[in-house]
Amino acid sequence: MTTAEYNMREELYAKAPESIKQEYEGLVGIYAIMLDDEIVYVGKSKNMFNRWTAHQINAMCPEARDYNKSKYV
């Protein structure tokens, strides 16, 4: 994880409402990312909050290993 990714993760975590953190942190599940009513990505996670944060970093941080802004826009 680059410094930029780490800083973005900390910022996203700090901005997230406590209710969202409590509900999704540690939650195991399968999820889908949709664009215009079409599923564009299906994944699974042992911690849904952290995984969603990782997706946000990949969408917004050019230094991220899996950076792919077009996938998320």
Side-chain angles (χ1 to χ4, degrees), residues 36-56:
D36 298 327
D37 295 326
E38 182 179 334
I39 296 173
V40 294
Y41 183 87
V42 175
K44 62 182 179 177
S45 179
K46 293 181 180 178
N47 186 325
M48 296 296 272
F49 181 78
N50 283 347
R51 187 63 186 119
W52 183 247
T53 300
H55 280 294
Q56 291 178 307

Side-chain angles (χ1 to χ4, degrees), residues 1-14 33 48-73:
M1 178 180 287
T2 67
T3 301
E5 288 175 282
Y6 177 81
N7 290 340
M8 186 174 284
R9 184 177 68 109
E10 292 298 309
E11 182 181 328
L12 290 168
Y13 193 88
I33 296 176
M48 296 296 272
F49 181 78
N50 283 347
R51 187 63 186 119
W52 183 247
T53 300
H55 280 294
Q56 291 178 307
I57 291 167
N58 290 336
M60 298 183 292
C61 183
E63 294 180 23
R65 183 185 72 196
D66 295 324
Y67 176 68
N68 189 346
K69 186 174 186 174
S70 62
K71 179 178 180 180
Y72 296 98
V73 173

